[in-house]
Amino acid sequence: MNIEKIYFDMDGVLADFERGVRELCGMEPPPQEGEKEPGLDLSMWDRVRNVGNFYDVLELMPGAKEMFDAVYEKYGDKVEILTGIPKPDKHILTAAEDKISWMRRLISDKVVMNIVFRAEKPNFCKGKGHILIDDLGKNIREWENMGGTGILHISPEDTLRRLSEIEGDLANNNEVIEKLKRGNDLYLESLHNGGDVSPELRRKTAEEGQHPYAIVIACADSRVIPEAIFSADIGDLFVIRVAGNVLDNHQLGSIEYAAAHLDANVIVMLGHTRCGAVSATIKGSTEGYIRYITDDIREAIGGEKDDYKATVLNVKHGVNVIRQAFREHPEIPSDGLEIVGAVYNVDTGKVDWL
C-alpha cells in the first residue's frame, strides 16, 4: 500500500481557530471532547456568527504554512484539504466561502478543497493509504475505523515526523506483500515447496529465534498450507490456522504476540475456495462444536448463498475484527500494521488479494 491521499484539516491544524475564538469572540473556546458546560457551545457559535466572515480572518497556526508546503512539494496533487463547517442550525452561512478565501490567500490557490460537515469526513477514507491530519481525536478514531491512517496533529514538527514514519512503515509493508506475491507466483510453477527448509536454516532459527515478516490467519483445511502457498522459508511466516479462519481471543492473542513481540507488521487473513466451514454455514445444518465456527461465519456472511462471495465476506469480516482489536493497542501502533484480505483458490493455487 502506498500513500494515495493526504488530507489536511484546517481548524487547529492550519488555521488558529482557538485563538480566533479568544481574540475575536472574547471567550475561551469550549473543549472539543469530553464534558462541556451547558450552553457554552451555543454562546460560542452566536459570537462567531456576530464576528462576520470569522473563518476568513483567522490567523495561521505557527509553522502551518511551512509544514503544508513541505508536504505539498513532495506529494503534489495527493494533498487535499478536508475541513468541516458548522451544521446549518449554527447559521454560520459564509463558513464555506470564508474557508476557501482564507486557504487561497494564505496557503495555496491550487489545492483541492473538500468542505463537509464533520460527520462526513470518514466517507473520504478509502483505505490505509489515505491519511488524515486532524487535531480532533474523534475524527482520527472514526477515520481509522474506516481503515485509514490518522495523524493526530500536535505540532508541525510532530506531524512531519509521524508522516515520515508512516512512509517508512508503508514502504516496508509493501515490500512484504510483494514478497508474498512473488512467493505465490513461484508456487504456481513449482512441483515442490520453494522455501528453504534446510538443516542449516533449522539450526539458525533454533539458535537465533524466529523473525517472521508476516502473520497469516488461514483455515485448517489440509489443502491450504501458507508456507507452501507463499514459498516461505522456515521462520518467515507466523501461521495461525483454524477451521473457517474464524477469530476469537485465542487467535487474537497469537496475533498480538507476533505483532508486539516479533515485530511482524503485515497480517494476512487468508480464506479459500471450496471451504467446508463456509459451505456448512450456507447450508445451515451444523451441530456440536462445529456450530461455534458456523455461527461466527454466519455473522460475517449473513444470507449470502454464493460460495465465493461468502468467502470474501468472511475474510473482510476477519480483517475488520483484527483492525478493531488492535486499533488502540499500547504496544502495537495501528498505523504501522498492514491488515489485508486474500482468497486462495484450491483449484489453481493462485491467491487473489482483496
Side-chain angles (χ1 to χ4, degrees):
M1 182 72 68
N2 297 312
I3 292 179
E4 299 172 17
K5 285 288 182 184
I6 299 175
Y7 293 105
F8 275 91
D9 179 37
M10 284 182 64
D11 304 328
V13 176
L14 302 176
D16 201 336
F17 180 87
E18 292 190 353
R19 180 180 174 184
V21 172
R22 290 189 188 97
E23 296 183 357
L24 300 174
C25 300
M27 65 178 290
E28 280 297 312
Q32 295 193 76
E33 298 189 86
E35 293 187 8
K36 302 180 182 181
E37 182 181 330
L40 201 56
D41 262 357
L42 288 176
S43 175
M44 183 189 73
W45 291 119
D46 284 343
R47 297 187 188 198
V48 166
R49 183 170 59 253
N50 291 333
V51 168
N53 303 108
F54 174 82
Y55 289 100
D56 195 19
V57 294
L58 295 178
E59 299 288 338
L60 274 165
M61 292 285 288
K65 179 72 164 69
E66 294 78 7
M67 171 185 64
F68 181 88
D69 287 348
V71 177
Y72 191 80
E73 181 178 1
K74 184 170 185 178
Y75 289 99
D77 291 343
K78 291 182 178 181
V79 178
E80 297 185 8
I81 298 298
L82 180 56
T83 186
I85 55 173
K87 292 180 179 178
D89 62 354
K90 303 298 189 297
H91 304 292
I92 315 297
L93 303 180
T94 64
E97 61 187 74
D98 287 347
K99 287 198 169 195
I100 293 171
S101 173
W102 185 94
M103 189 70 195
R104 299 292 184 249
R105 180 167 49 86
L106 295 178
I107 299 289
S108 171
D109 60 357
K110 299 176 182 177
V111 66
V112 172
M113 299 271 304
N114 301 287
I115 301 175
V116 299
F117 298 126
R118 190 207 65 79
E120 297 173 326
K121 281 190 175 185
N123 297 336
F124 285 76
C125 181
K126 305 302 179 185
K128 190 79 172 178
H130 285 231
I131 298 172
L132 175 66
I133 300 170
D134 202 300
D135 69 316
L136 184 59
K138 183 176 183 180
N139 290 341
I140 295 297
R141 291 190 294 273
E142 291 176 353
W143 190 266
E144 292 180 342
N145 284 342
M146 295 294 289
T149 301
I151 296 178
L152 183 62
H153 181 75
I154 299 171
S155 69
E157 296 77 17
D158 184 73
T159 289
L160 291 174
R161 177 185 61 79
R162 290 290 300 115
L163 185 58
S164 179
E165 291 174 352
I166 290 167
E167 290 171 351
D169 289 339
L170 289 177
N172 291 338
N173 293 345
N174 285 342
E175 290 177 10
V176 169
I177 292 172
E178 288 303 315
K179 187 171 184 176
L180 292 169
K181 290 179 178 179
R182 290 194 301 271
N184 184 236
D185 289 340
L186 178 62
Y187 169 72
L188 293 175
E189 304 298 328
S190 300
L191 298 178
H192 305 286
N193 184 11
D196 184 351
V197 295
S198 65
E200 292 78 14
L201 186 56
R202 285 203 301 272
R203 285 193 294 271
K204 179 180 174 65
T205 53
E207 294 169 0
E208 299 179 7
Q210 59 174 322
H211 303 283
Y213 56 75
I215 303 164
V216 181
I217 303 95
C219 184
D221 192 301
S222 60
R223 300 166 294 179
V224 182
I225 310 168
E227 294 87 346
I229 291 168
F230 296 115
S231 305
D233 300 344
I234 294 174
D236 278 353
L237 303 179
F238 190 93
V239 178
I240 303 162
R241 297 183 64 178
V242 59
N245 43 280
V246 297
L247 294 165
D248 63 16
N249 289 341
H250 299 88
Q251 285 76 44
L252 291 174
S254 297
I255 295 170
E256 181 180 44
Y257 171 74
H261 299 285
L262 302 179
D263 297 323
N265 290 329
V266 173
I267 303 173
V268 181
M269 172 59 71
L270 183 65
H272 69 96
T273 60
R274 301 182 185 270
C275 178
V278 172
S279 297
T281 304
I282 292 173
K283 293 175 183 176
S285 58
T286 55
E287 298 178 352
Y289 293 109
I290 297 174
R291 180 170 53 83
Y292 291 99
I293 297 171
T294 56
D295 283 353
D296 194 272
I297 296 174
R298 186 169 293 108
E299 180 183 346
I301 71 173
E304 181 58 62
K305 298 299 182 183
D306 180 85
D307 184 79
Y308 186 81
K309 290 180 180 178
T311 296
V312 170
L313 288 173
N314 191 40
V315 167
K316 289 182 176 180
H317 175 74
V319 167
N320 190 54
V321 168
I322 297 169
R323 184 172 289 132
Q324 294 302 316
F326 299 107
R327 184 171 59 84
E328 295 183 347
H329 194 284
E331 297 181 70
I332 307 172
S334 61
D335 54 17
L337 287 180
E338 187 75 35
I339 308 167
V340 295
V343 176
Y344 171 68
N345 189 309
V346 298
D347 292 279
T348 66
K350 181 174 176 55
V351 173
D352 294 327
W353 298 87
L354 304 180

